[in-house]
Short mmCIF file of all heavy atoms in Angstrom, two decimals:
data_model
loop_
_atom_site.label_atom_id
_atom_site.label_comp_id
_atom_site.label_asym_id
_atom_site.label_seq_id
_atom_site.Cartn_x
_atom_site.Cartn_y
_atom_site.Cartn_z
N MET A 49 0.84 -1.18 -0.04
CA MET A 49 -0.03 0.03 0.00
C MET A 49 0.84 1.21 -0.02
O MET A 49 0.58 2.22 -0.64
CB MET A 49 -0.92 0.00 1.21
CG MET A 49 -1.83 1.20 1.19
SD MET A 49 -3.04 1.02 2.49
CE MET A 49 -3.45 2.71 2.75
N ALA A 50 1.93 1.20 0.75
CA ALA A 50 2.80 2.41 0.83
C ALA A 50 3.44 2.68 -0.55
O ALA A 50 3.50 3.88 -0.90
CB ALA A 50 3.85 2.18 1.90
N ASP A 51 3.78 1.67 -1.25
CA ASP A 51 4.39 1.91 -2.54
C ASP A 51 3.40 2.58 -3.54
O ASP A 51 3.75 3.48 -4.25
CB ASP A 51 4.87 0.60 -3.21
CG ASP A 51 6.10 0.09 -2.48
OD1 ASP A 51 6.81 0.86 -1.84
OD2 ASP A 51 6.33 -1.21 -2.52
N ASN A 52 2.13 2.11 -3.48
CA ASN A 52 1.11 2.62 -4.34
C ASN A 52 0.85 4.08 -3.95
O ASN A 52 0.76 4.94 -4.87
CB ASN A 52 -0.15 1.82 -4.17
CG ASN A 52 -1.12 2.16 -5.30
OD1 ASN A 52 -0.79 2.63 -6.32
ND2 ASN A 52 -2.41 1.85 -5.03
N PHE A 53 0.84 4.40 -2.71
CA PHE A 53 0.67 5.79 -2.26
C PHE A 53 1.78 6.64 -2.73
O PHE A 53 1.52 7.75 -3.27
CB PHE A 53 0.62 5.83 -0.68
CG PHE A 53 0.49 7.20 -0.18
CD1 PHE A 53 -0.68 7.92 -0.27
CD2 PHE A 53 1.63 7.81 0.40
CE1 PHE A 53 -0.78 9.21 0.25
CE2 PHE A 53 1.59 9.08 0.91
CZ PHE A 53 0.37 9.77 0.87
N LEU A 54 2.98 6.23 -2.57
CA LEU A 54 4.12 7.01 -3.04
C LEU A 54 4.18 7.18 -4.61
O LEU A 54 4.52 8.21 -5.08
CB LEU A 54 5.45 6.35 -2.61
CG LEU A 54 5.74 6.37 -1.04
CD1 LEU A 54 6.99 5.57 -0.74
CD2 LEU A 54 5.80 7.71 -0.51
N GLU A 55 3.76 6.12 -5.30
CA GLU A 55 3.64 6.24 -6.71
C GLU A 55 2.63 7.27 -7.14
O GLU A 55 2.93 8.10 -8.03
CB GLU A 55 3.34 4.92 -7.30
CG GLU A 55 4.46 3.89 -7.31
CD GLU A 55 4.09 2.52 -7.76
OE1 GLU A 55 3.03 2.34 -8.25
OE2 GLU A 55 4.92 1.59 -7.60
N ASN A 56 1.48 7.26 -6.47
CA ASN A 56 0.48 8.27 -6.76
C ASN A 56 0.97 9.70 -6.44
O ASN A 56 0.71 10.59 -7.21
CB ASN A 56 -0.85 7.95 -5.97
CG ASN A 56 -1.52 6.70 -6.48
OD1 ASN A 56 -1.28 6.30 -7.56
ND2 ASN A 56 -2.29 6.11 -5.67
N GLN A 57 1.59 9.84 -5.35
CA GLN A 57 2.13 11.11 -4.96
C GLN A 57 3.11 11.67 -6.01
O GLN A 57 3.15 12.80 -6.40
CB GLN A 57 2.76 11.12 -3.59
CG GLN A 57 1.89 10.89 -2.40
CD GLN A 57 0.99 12.06 -2.17
OE1 GLN A 57 -0.14 12.13 -2.60
NE2 GLN A 57 1.56 13.09 -1.51
N TYR A 58 4.03 10.71 -6.38
CA TYR A 58 5.03 11.10 -7.43
C TYR A 58 4.42 11.47 -8.72
O TYR A 58 4.81 12.43 -9.42
CB TYR A 58 6.06 9.96 -7.52
CG TYR A 58 7.23 10.40 -8.45
CD1 TYR A 58 8.13 11.34 -7.98
CD2 TYR A 58 7.45 9.80 -9.66
CE1 TYR A 58 9.20 11.71 -8.77
CE2 TYR A 58 8.51 10.19 -10.47
CZ TYR A 58 9.36 11.14 -9.99
OH TYR A 58 10.43 11.52 -10.71
N GLU A 59 3.39 10.73 -9.17
CA GLU A 59 2.72 11.01 -10.44
C GLU A 59 2.03 12.39 -10.39
O GLU A 59 2.07 13.08 -11.34
CB GLU A 59 1.67 9.90 -10.75
CG GLU A 59 2.33 8.59 -11.20
CD GLU A 59 1.31 7.45 -11.32
OE1 GLU A 59 0.13 7.71 -11.14
OE2 GLU A 59 1.79 6.38 -11.64
N GLU A 60 1.37 12.63 -9.22
CA GLU A 60 0.74 13.95 -9.08
C GLU A 60 1.83 15.07 -9.11
O GLU A 60 1.55 16.16 -9.72
CB GLU A 60 0.00 14.01 -7.74
CG GLU A 60 -1.25 13.13 -7.73
CD GLU A 60 -1.92 13.02 -6.38
OE1 GLU A 60 -1.42 13.69 -5.43
OE2 GLU A 60 -2.88 12.25 -6.26
N TYR A 61 2.92 14.85 -8.49
CA TYR A 61 4.05 15.82 -8.46
C TYR A 61 4.56 16.05 -9.91
O TYR A 61 4.72 17.22 -10.34
CB TYR A 61 5.21 15.34 -7.59
CG TYR A 61 6.48 16.07 -7.86
CD1 TYR A 61 6.65 17.36 -7.46
CD2 TYR A 61 7.52 15.44 -8.58
CE1 TYR A 61 7.83 18.07 -7.68
CE2 TYR A 61 8.69 16.15 -8.85
CZ TYR A 61 8.83 17.43 -8.32
OH TYR A 61 10.01 18.05 -8.62
N GLN A 62 4.69 14.97 -10.71
CA GLN A 62 5.13 15.10 -12.05
C GLN A 62 4.15 15.96 -12.89
O GLN A 62 4.54 16.69 -13.75
CB GLN A 62 5.38 13.74 -12.72
CG GLN A 62 6.53 12.95 -12.10
CD GLN A 62 7.88 13.52 -12.50
OE1 GLN A 62 8.05 14.69 -12.66
NE2 GLN A 62 8.82 12.60 -12.71
N ALA A 63 2.83 15.66 -12.62
CA ALA A 63 1.84 16.44 -13.40
C ALA A 63 1.85 17.88 -13.08
O ALA A 63 1.83 18.77 -13.93
CB ALA A 63 0.45 15.86 -13.09
N ARG A 64 1.97 18.24 -11.78
CA ARG A 64 2.11 19.61 -11.38
C ARG A 64 3.34 20.27 -11.97
O ARG A 64 3.33 21.40 -12.41
CB ARG A 64 2.14 19.75 -9.84
CG ARG A 64 0.81 19.48 -9.19
CD ARG A 64 0.84 19.83 -7.73
NE ARG A 64 1.96 19.39 -6.98
CZ ARG A 64 2.07 18.21 -6.29
NH1 ARG A 64 1.04 17.38 -6.28
NH2 ARG A 64 3.10 17.90 -5.62
N LYS A 65 4.44 19.56 -11.96
CA LYS A 65 5.76 20.07 -12.48
C LYS A 65 5.57 20.28 -13.98
O LYS A 65 6.09 21.36 -14.45
CB LYS A 65 6.81 19.01 -12.17
CG LYS A 65 8.17 19.47 -12.69
CD LYS A 65 9.26 18.44 -12.27
CE LYS A 65 10.61 18.78 -12.90
NZ LYS A 65 11.54 17.72 -12.64
N ALA A 66 4.99 19.41 -14.70
CA ALA A 66 4.82 19.60 -16.15
C ALA A 66 3.91 20.81 -16.46
O ALA A 66 4.23 21.61 -17.35
CB ALA A 66 4.22 18.35 -16.79
N GLU A 67 2.88 20.96 -15.63
CA GLU A 67 2.01 22.10 -15.89
C GLU A 67 2.73 23.40 -15.60
O GLU A 67 2.60 24.40 -16.32
CB GLU A 67 0.74 21.96 -14.92
CG GLU A 67 -0.26 23.09 -15.06
CD GLU A 67 -1.42 22.87 -14.09
OE1 GLU A 67 -1.68 21.74 -13.65
OE2 GLU A 67 -2.10 23.83 -13.87
N ARG A 68 3.49 23.46 -14.52
CA ARG A 68 4.33 24.65 -14.15
C ARG A 68 5.22 24.95 -15.27
O ARG A 68 5.40 26.13 -15.70
CB ARG A 68 5.01 24.39 -12.80
CG ARG A 68 5.58 25.56 -12.18
CD ARG A 68 6.02 25.26 -10.75
NE ARG A 68 6.88 24.04 -10.56
CZ ARG A 68 6.55 22.93 -9.92
NH1 ARG A 68 5.40 22.97 -9.28
NH2 ARG A 68 7.33 21.91 -9.81
N GLU A 69 5.97 24.00 -15.80
CA GLU A 69 6.95 24.20 -16.87
C GLU A 69 6.25 24.70 -18.20
O GLU A 69 6.78 25.56 -18.83
CB GLU A 69 7.70 22.94 -17.20
CG GLU A 69 8.66 22.48 -16.12
CD GLU A 69 9.77 23.50 -15.94
OE1 GLU A 69 10.32 24.03 -16.95
OE2 GLU A 69 10.15 23.75 -14.75
N ALA A 70 5.09 24.14 -18.47
CA ALA A 70 4.33 24.60 -19.68
C ALA A 70 3.92 26.08 -19.53
O ALA A 70 4.02 26.88 -20.47
CB ALA A 70 3.04 23.74 -19.83
N LYS A 71 3.44 26.47 -18.32
CA LYS A 71 3.13 27.88 -18.12
C LYS A 71 4.32 28.75 -18.20
O LYS A 71 4.27 29.86 -18.81
CB LYS A 71 2.43 28.03 -16.71
CG LYS A 71 1.08 27.55 -16.63
CD LYS A 71 0.54 27.74 -15.25
CE LYS A 71 -0.87 27.13 -15.06
NZ LYS A 71 -1.35 27.34 -13.71
N LYS A 72 5.45 28.30 -17.71
CA LYS A 72 6.68 29.12 -17.74
C LYS A 72 7.13 29.31 -19.20
O LYS A 72 7.50 30.36 -19.64
CB LYS A 72 7.78 28.35 -16.96
CG LYS A 72 9.10 29.03 -16.85
CD LYS A 72 10.05 28.28 -15.97
CE LYS A 72 11.39 28.83 -15.93
NZ LYS A 72 12.34 28.02 -15.16
N LYS A 73 7.01 28.20 -19.95
CA LYS A 73 7.46 28.23 -21.41
C LYS A 73 6.50 29.22 -22.21
O LYS A 73 6.92 29.97 -23.04
CB LYS A 73 7.37 26.83 -22.00
CG LYS A 73 8.29 26.62 -23.14
CD LYS A 73 8.24 25.10 -23.51
CE LYS A 73 9.50 24.71 -24.24
NZ LYS A 73 9.45 23.36 -24.72
N ALA A 74 5.20 29.15 -21.89
CA ALA A 74 4.25 30.02 -22.58
C ALA A 74 4.50 31.46 -22.30
O ALA A 74 4.40 32.30 -23.18
CB ALA A 74 2.82 29.58 -22.19
N LEU A 75 4.83 31.73 -21.06
CA LEU A 75 5.14 33.09 -20.65
C LEU A 75 6.41 33.59 -21.41
O LEU A 75 6.42 34.76 -21.85
CB LEU A 75 5.26 33.23 -19.09
CG LEU A 75 5.53 34.64 -18.56
CD1 LEU A 75 4.40 35.55 -18.91
CD2 LEU A 75 5.72 34.58 -17.07
N TRP A 76 7.36 32.76 -21.46
CA TRP A 76 8.65 33.11 -22.14
C TRP A 76 8.35 33.44 -23.57
O TRP A 76 8.73 34.42 -24.18
CB TRP A 76 9.63 31.99 -22.07
CG TRP A 76 10.75 32.20 -22.90
CD1 TRP A 76 11.03 31.45 -24.10
CD2 TRP A 76 11.87 33.08 -22.83
NE1 TRP A 76 12.21 31.91 -24.64
CE2 TRP A 76 12.72 32.95 -23.92
CE3 TRP A 76 12.15 34.11 -21.89
CZ2 TRP A 76 13.85 33.72 -24.10
CZ3 TRP A 76 13.26 34.81 -22.05
CH2 TRP A 76 14.12 34.68 -23.19
N ARG A 77 7.53 32.59 -24.25
CA ARG A 77 7.16 32.76 -25.67
C ARG A 77 6.37 34.15 -25.83
O ARG A 77 6.68 34.89 -26.81
CB ARG A 77 6.33 31.69 -26.17
CG ARG A 77 7.20 30.48 -26.67
CD ARG A 77 6.35 29.40 -27.20
NE ARG A 77 6.02 28.64 -26.02
CZ ARG A 77 5.04 27.72 -25.92
NH1 ARG A 77 4.29 27.48 -26.96
NH2 ARG A 77 4.90 27.09 -24.83
N LYS A 78 5.55 34.38 -24.89
CA LYS A 78 4.73 35.64 -24.95
C LYS A 78 5.65 36.85 -24.85
O LYS A 78 5.54 37.85 -25.56
CB LYS A 78 3.69 35.68 -23.81
CG LYS A 78 2.74 36.85 -23.81
CD LYS A 78 1.79 36.76 -22.68
CE LYS A 78 0.88 37.97 -22.59
NZ LYS A 78 -0.02 37.86 -21.44
N ARG A 79 6.59 36.80 -23.87
CA ARG A 79 7.55 37.93 -23.69
C ARG A 79 8.41 38.08 -24.90
O ARG A 79 8.73 39.18 -25.32
CB ARG A 79 8.38 37.71 -22.47
CG ARG A 79 7.63 37.86 -21.16
CD ARG A 79 8.53 37.58 -19.99
NE ARG A 79 7.85 37.75 -18.78
CZ ARG A 79 8.29 37.35 -17.57
NH1 ARG A 79 9.42 36.71 -17.49
NH2 ARG A 79 7.60 37.52 -16.48
N LEU A 80 8.92 36.96 -25.46
CA LEU A 80 9.76 37.02 -26.66
C LEU A 80 8.99 37.64 -27.85
O LEU A 80 9.57 38.50 -28.55
CB LEU A 80 10.23 35.62 -26.98
CG LEU A 80 11.16 35.51 -28.24
CD1 LEU A 80 12.45 36.32 -27.99
CD2 LEU A 80 11.49 34.05 -28.48
N LYS A 81 7.78 37.23 -28.06
CA LYS A 81 7.02 37.77 -29.12
C LYS A 81 6.78 39.27 -29.01
O LYS A 81 6.93 40.08 -29.93
CB LYS A 81 5.62 37.06 -29.21
CG LYS A 81 4.71 37.54 -30.36
CD LYS A 81 3.50 36.77 -30.44
CE LYS A 81 2.66 37.16 -31.63
NZ LYS A 81 1.38 36.44 -31.74
N ALA A 82 6.47 39.70 -27.72
CA ALA A 82 6.29 41.10 -27.45
C ALA A 82 7.62 41.94 -27.72
O ALA A 82 7.59 42.98 -28.30
CB ALA A 82 5.87 41.36 -26.06
N TYR A 83 8.76 41.31 -27.35
CA TYR A 83 10.06 41.95 -27.58
C TYR A 83 10.28 42.06 -29.14
O TYR A 83 10.71 43.10 -29.61
CB TYR A 83 11.15 41.14 -26.94
CG TYR A 83 12.49 41.71 -27.18
CD1 TYR A 83 12.91 42.86 -26.64
CD2 TYR A 83 13.42 40.94 -27.96
CE1 TYR A 83 14.20 43.41 -26.93
CE2 TYR A 83 14.66 41.41 -28.14
CZ TYR A 83 15.06 42.71 -27.70
OH TYR A 83 16.35 43.12 -27.95
N GLN A 84 10.02 41.00 -29.79
CA GLN A 84 10.25 41.00 -31.23
C GLN A 84 9.33 42.04 -31.95
O GLN A 84 9.81 42.71 -32.89
CB GLN A 84 10.02 39.58 -31.82
CG GLN A 84 11.08 38.61 -31.44
CD GLN A 84 10.73 37.17 -31.84
OE1 GLN A 84 9.55 36.80 -32.06
NE2 GLN A 84 11.81 36.38 -31.91
N GLU A 85 8.10 42.16 -31.47
CA GLU A 85 7.24 43.15 -32.04
C GLU A 85 7.70 44.54 -31.79
O GLU A 85 7.63 45.45 -32.65
CB GLU A 85 5.81 42.96 -31.47
CG GLU A 85 5.11 41.75 -31.90
CD GLU A 85 4.81 41.70 -33.41
OE1 GLU A 85 4.49 42.80 -33.99
OE2 GLU A 85 4.98 40.64 -34.07
N SER A 86 8.21 44.77 -30.57
CA SER A 86 8.73 46.10 -30.24
C SER A 86 9.99 46.43 -31.07
O SER A 86 10.17 47.58 -31.45
CB SER A 86 9.09 46.20 -28.71
OG SER A 86 10.29 45.49 -28.47
N LEU A 87 10.77 45.41 -31.47
CA LEU A 87 11.96 45.65 -32.29
C LEU A 87 11.45 46.06 -33.74
O LEU A 87 12.14 46.80 -34.36
CB LEU A 87 12.85 44.47 -32.32
CG LEU A 87 13.66 44.20 -31.12
CD1 LEU A 87 14.53 42.94 -31.26
CD2 LEU A 87 14.57 45.39 -30.80
N LYS A 88 10.40 45.42 -34.14
CA LYS A 88 9.91 45.76 -35.56
C LYS A 88 9.41 47.18 -35.60
O LYS A 88 9.62 47.87 -36.53
CB LYS A 88 8.75 44.75 -35.91
CG LYS A 88 9.23 43.42 -36.25
CD LYS A 88 8.01 42.50 -36.57
CE LYS A 88 8.49 41.12 -36.86
NZ LYS A 88 7.30 40.24 -37.12
N LYS A 89 8.71 47.61 -34.51
CA LYS A 89 8.23 49.01 -34.47
C LYS A 89 9.35 50.00 -34.34
O LYS A 89 9.24 51.05 -34.94
CB LYS A 89 7.25 49.11 -33.32
CG LYS A 89 5.94 48.36 -33.53
CD LYS A 89 5.01 48.48 -32.36
CE LYS A 89 3.78 47.68 -32.52
NZ LYS A 89 2.86 47.73 -31.34
N ASN A 90 10.27 49.75 -33.45
CA ASN A 90 11.39 50.59 -33.22
C ASN A 90 12.71 49.95 -33.43
O ASN A 90 13.37 49.47 -32.51
CB ASN A 90 11.32 51.19 -31.74
CG ASN A 90 10.01 51.86 -31.48
OD1 ASN A 90 9.49 52.55 -32.24
ND2 ASN A 90 9.46 51.50 -30.33
N PRO A 91 13.21 49.85 -34.67
CA PRO A 91 14.40 49.05 -34.95
C PRO A 91 15.67 49.59 -34.28
O PRO A 91 16.54 48.82 -33.98
CB PRO A 91 14.56 49.08 -36.50
CG PRO A 91 13.54 50.01 -36.96
CD PRO A 91 12.59 50.34 -35.84
N GLY A 92 15.72 50.90 -34.01
CA GLY A 92 16.91 51.39 -33.29
C GLY A 92 16.93 51.23 -31.81
O GLY A 92 17.95 51.30 -31.18
N ASP A 93 15.75 50.99 -31.31
CA ASP A 93 15.61 50.73 -29.82
C ASP A 93 16.01 49.35 -29.43
O ASP A 93 15.42 48.38 -30.02
CB ASP A 93 14.15 51.00 -29.42
CG ASP A 93 14.05 51.82 -28.16
OD1 ASP A 93 15.08 52.27 -27.69
OD2 ASP A 93 12.88 51.90 -27.61
N LYS A 94 16.90 49.14 -28.52
CA LYS A 94 17.35 47.80 -28.19
C LYS A 94 16.77 47.42 -26.79
O LYS A 94 17.02 46.38 -26.32
CB LYS A 94 18.81 47.66 -28.14
CG LYS A 94 19.38 47.97 -29.52
CD LYS A 94 20.50 47.05 -29.86
CE LYS A 94 20.89 47.37 -31.26
NZ LYS A 94 21.99 46.72 -31.74
N GLU A 95 16.00 48.24 -26.18
CA GLU A 95 15.51 47.88 -24.84
C GLU A 95 14.01 47.80 -24.81
O GLU A 95 13.18 48.36 -25.19
CB GLU A 95 15.99 48.84 -23.74
CG GLU A 95 17.46 48.65 -23.50
CD GLU A 95 17.98 49.54 -22.43
OE1 GLU A 95 17.32 49.83 -21.52
OE2 GLU A 95 19.17 49.93 -22.54
#
């Protein structure tokens, strides 16, 4: 029973971790896209 409990806990942890990583990646893509758009609008501006 203990093994099954630990396996379930670990699977839940892996799912939460994957969700967290997906959100982090999506936020990065959103920021990158916004930065690229700002460079298109103001090519001389680097910040």
